[in-house]
Amino acid sequence: RGHRRYKTRTAQTKAEARRILEQLKADERAGLDLSKLSLGAYLRRWLDESARPTVSPNTLRGYEANLLHLEPIADIPLQRLTAEHIERCCIGLSTHGTHPKAQKAASPKTVRNVQVMLRRALRQAEQRGHIRRNPAMLVPLRTANPPAVDALTPERARAILVAIAGDRYEAAYALALVGLRS
């Protein structure tokens, strides 16, 4: 015989209680297992069991570093994680780094990488029934604009040609400059 499991929820009104009850019944019919794992515990498990066999060693190292960046929200239960938690974490990374005591802010590319990894991990949690909805998808991806690079001007190209005059690789440098475009 099966053992009964009771779930306790509170509501302010009868209408809200009915809505909660209907959601619980729908979850049970759908077979959703709303995990009580914390975000950090889930991500470590996801990294070991799902990501490790499917990504390159470099990507894996990046994912492991991203876990450190997510420490401020790692203790939040997966089912209670909201877009606001993720947004605040990203803002914190952008302003002061992983921890409030950090010396400098994370780069926009790092913040974006954290978001992309979190989206991927939580997409799998959603597919496996650990969460109803992926809150990471509700947070807009940060833009990671590459640094602006000044184009080589004709005057600078001439100065380079003057500087390399007489060098044994002068012809190779000149050909390389011909291939550059502004």
Side-chain angles (χ1 to χ4, degrees), residues 46-47 50-63 120:
W46 172 80
L47 193 63
S50 298
R52 188 176 306 279
T54 61
V55 298
S56 73
N58 283 342
T59 303
L60 188 62
R61 276 192 294 279
Y63 283 178
R120 181 176 178 203

Side-chain angles (χ1 to χ4, degrees), residues 39-154:
L39 174 65
Y42 173 77
L43 288 175
R44 281 186 290 283
R45 180 182 287 176
W46 172 80
L47 193 63
D48 289 336
E49 295 172 4
S50 298
R52 188 176 306 279
T54 61
V55 298
S56 73
N58 283 342
T59 303
L60 188 62
R61 276 192 294 279
Y63 283 178
E64 288 168 347
N66 290 345
L67 291 182
L68 296 174
H69 292 301
L70 291 167
E71 276 186 10
I73 59 173
D75 293 334
I76 298 172
L78 199 56
Q79 64 189 13
R80 297 199 185 278
L81 184 68
T82 65
E84 288 74 22
H85 291 125
I86 297 167
E87 185 73 43
R88 273 187 250 126
C89 183
C90 290
I91 291 169
L93 283 173
S94 299
T95 57
H96 53 71
T98 305
H99 298 288
K101 297 176 187 173
Q103 296 296 319
K104 65 177 193 167
S107 72
K109 176 89 168 112
T110 298
V111 177
R112 184 181 177 88
N113 288 344
V114 168
Q115 284 185 279
V116 168
M117 183 207 73
L118 190 58
R119 282 179 168 206
R120 181 176 178 203
L122 293 180
R123 182 180 330 120
Q124 186 169 347
E126 182 181 27
Q127 290 168 346
R128 293 184 175 184
H130 297 299
I131 55 176
R132 286 187 192 99
R133 183 173 171 177
N134 183 349
M137 296 304 289
L138 303 174
V139 180
L141 279 176
R142 299 295 197 270
T143 56
N145 298 328
V149 178
D150 292 333
L152 185 64
T153 63

Side-chain angles (χ1 to χ4, degrees), residues 2-9 21 24 28 36 79:
H3 296 280
R4 291 183 184 211
R5 285 184 20 196
Y6 293 93
K7 295 182 180 182
T8 305
R9 303 289 185 271
L21 179 61
L24 288 170
E28 188 175 336
K36 291 186 180 182
Q79 64 189 13

Side-chain angles (χ1 to χ4, degrees), residues 155-173:
E155 294 78 29
R156 292 188 97 187
R158 280 190 214 91
I160 291 171
L161 289 173
V162 168
I164 61 170
D167 188 277
R168 67 184 202 171
Y169 294 115
E170 179 180 0
Y173 293 134

